Amino acid sequence: MTILVVEDDERIASFLAKGLRAEGYATSIARHGEEALALTSVLGDDIDLILLDLGLPDLDGVALLRTWRDRHLAVPVIILSARDRVEAKVAGLDAGATDYMTKPFSFDELLARIRAALRPAGQLGLTLLEAADVRLDLLSKVAWRQGRRIDLAPREWALLELFMRHPTQVLSRPQILNRVWEYGSDPGTNIVDVYVGYLRRKLNRPGLPQLIQTVRGAGYRLLPPTLAGGPHDG
Ligand code: CA
């Protein structure tokens, strides 16, 4: 899951990015409105949620939000602002914000609001994600395969969650890199392959099919066991 943090205050931006990464979210930071617009143009649907400060050096956050909504960017946006007047909240929500939090804020509350904003419509209270024979508890961040608990590091968790949210879809290495690591970061040429390797080792059980398949020249995909009966790779 990728969160775009639009925040000109260096201290708050790095606090947010650090905290979100520790929770397994990939983050990108935009420090002014034009940069945020450029990033949303490039990443589009690869962004899962936006945290938006209102007092930006070049554009007002509410104007930025209106521009996104005019361009049909449907990503949930949580406004995070020191403006605590009712009028500001009404204007923000009416411009298309999903939620509004005032600064100073509790990080735990922000995480809960992020989870709520990311919950698919019609799945109120959903905390479990299931695909193939794997189950993820999104609240406690615990994974199981066929009832056996798997302990994952934050990046491994983020990678598995990405696969679980797109079962059977082939995900390219750049797509995975953008959604699990930071956009534009170059953490090393084969980091995706390395982490897929870690994840496979943790998911593998003797006698059970390999869940994450290599699609030559395209990337990787998670397959339900019924479809994963062919020759196993990795
Ligand atoms: Ca600001």
Side-chain angles (χ1 to χ4, degrees):
M1 304 294 270
T2 297
I3 298 180
L4 172 63
V5 176
V6 185
E7 174 62 73
D8 62 318
D9 184 314
E10 196 72 40
R11 210 169 36 88
I12 298 175
S14 61
F15 168 78
L16 285 170
K18 210 172 144 192
L20 292 170
R21 281 170 204 165
E23 290 293 317
Y25 296 106
T27 56
S28 292
I29 300 176
R31 294 195 166 75
H32 51 81
E34 287 300 336
E35 192 183 3
L37 279 177
L39 272 172
T40 48
S41 299
V42 175
L43 291 172
D45 290 344
D46 280 344
I47 296 172
D48 297 289
L49 185 136
I50 299 172
L51 292 181
L52 177 64
D53 176 33
L54 293 182
L56 298 168
D58 53 345
L59 285 171
D60 187 79
V62 174
L64 187 56
L65 178 54
R66 283 210 188 90
T67 307
W68 282 327
R69 295 315 189 206
D70 285 347
R71 294 180 183 176
H72 305 290
L73 187 79
V75 172
V77 174
I78 300 177
I79 292 175
L80 198 52
S81 173
R83 298 178 196 167
D84 59 0
R85 294 169 56 91
V86 170
E87 293 85 340
K89 294 180 188 173
V90 169
L93 291 166
D94 279 349
T98 315
D99 200 353
Y100 194 114
M101 260 189 97
T102 52
K103 294 172 184 163
F105 58 95
S106 138
F107 192 66
D108 281 344
E109 184 182 347
L110 177 64
L111 288 175
R113 286 175 187 257
I114 288 172
R115 287 192 295 269
L118 290 174
R119 219 169 268 154
Q123 300 195 355
L124 289 177
L126 173 91
T127 59
L128 278 181
L129 193 59
E130 293 184 76
D133 54 359
V134 177
R135 215 147 45 96
L136 299 186
D137 183 330
L138 300 173
L139 275 185
S140 61
K141 303 252 167 174
V142 178
W144 298 269
R145 183 171 188 196
Q146 295 207 349
R148 219 175 117 175
R149 185 186 163 125
I150 303 159
D151 289 310
L152 299 167
R155 288 288 187 215
E156 295 166 348
W157 172 274
L159 184 58
L160 181 57
E161 186 182 349
L162 177 64
F163 280 121
M164 298 278 290
R165 287 186 184 274
H166 303 87
T168 77
Q169 187 186 322
V170 179
L171 299 170
S172 70
R173 286 176 181 80
Q175 269 178 322
I176 295 171
L177 198 59
N178 280 346
R179 301 193 69 152
V180 177
W181 284 267
E182 278 60 61
Y183 174 72
S185 69
D186 183 12
T189 46
N190 65 344
I191 189 136
V192 171
D193 307 279
V194 169
Y195 270 79
V196 166
Y198 293 158
L199 203 50
R200 278 175 171 163
R201 277 200 284 284
K202 291 195 174 180
L203 289 171
N204 260 356
R205 294 282 176 269
L208 295 184
Q210 177 68 258
L211 281 181
I212 302 171
Q213 252 202 0
T214 304
V215 182
R216 216 168 290 282
Y220 295 102
R221 73 175 154 197
L222 179 81
L223 284 179
T226 46
L227 296 175
H232 305 149
D233 58 3

